[in-house]
Amino acid sequence: MGAKDKHVILLVSQWCATCPDADMLWRKLQAEYGFKYDVLDVAQPEGKMWAKKLIIRSVPSTIIDGKLTFVGVPDEAEARKVIES
């Protein structure tokens, strides 16, 4: 599976101060690698579903291919490593 085949979901909230930083990072990487990227608010049904399914209690949280991968704003080098693997 290449980077283009990955699906990144960023769980956010309107009150989250660091969520925009995580979103900017994932948008930058999405533009480079071409993976599918969605931003979901935990106050909305789909965001709530993911938070409940993976027992996520903090935002921003990054889900990659259905697995909770990062909580908080990831380091760019670590994020690249995961996307490239």
Side-chain angles (χ1 to χ4, degrees):
M1 176 186 276
K4 280 182 133 174
D5 300 317
K6 303 266 186 196
H7 182 195
V8 176
I9 299 171
L10 180 64
L11 290 184
V12 300
S13 165
Q14 289 184 352
W15 49 262
C16 173
T18 57
C19 288
D21 295 335
D23 184 38
M24 284 185 358
L25 171 65
W26 287 116
R27 286 184 190 280
K28 173 184 175 182
L29 296 178
Q30 194 277 332
E32 287 181 40
Y33 292 99
F35 52 80
K36 184 177 178 191
Y37 177 61
D38 293 306
V39 178
L40 302 177
D41 192 308
V42 292
Q44 300 300 317
E46 193 173 1
K48 278 184 189 176
M49 183 274 301
W50 278 107
K52 184 177 180 181
K53 180 179 179 179
L54 298 177
I55 313 169
I56 295 171
R57 304 201 188 290
S58 184
V59 289
S61 288
T62 304
I63 301 163
I64 300 178
D65 295 333
K67 296 179 185 150
L68 178 61
T69 309
F70 296 104
V71 176
V73 180
D75 175 73
E76 185 173 336
E78 284 295 311
R80 284 181 185 280
K81 187 189 291 184
V82 170
I83 290 300
E84 291 172 0
S85 67

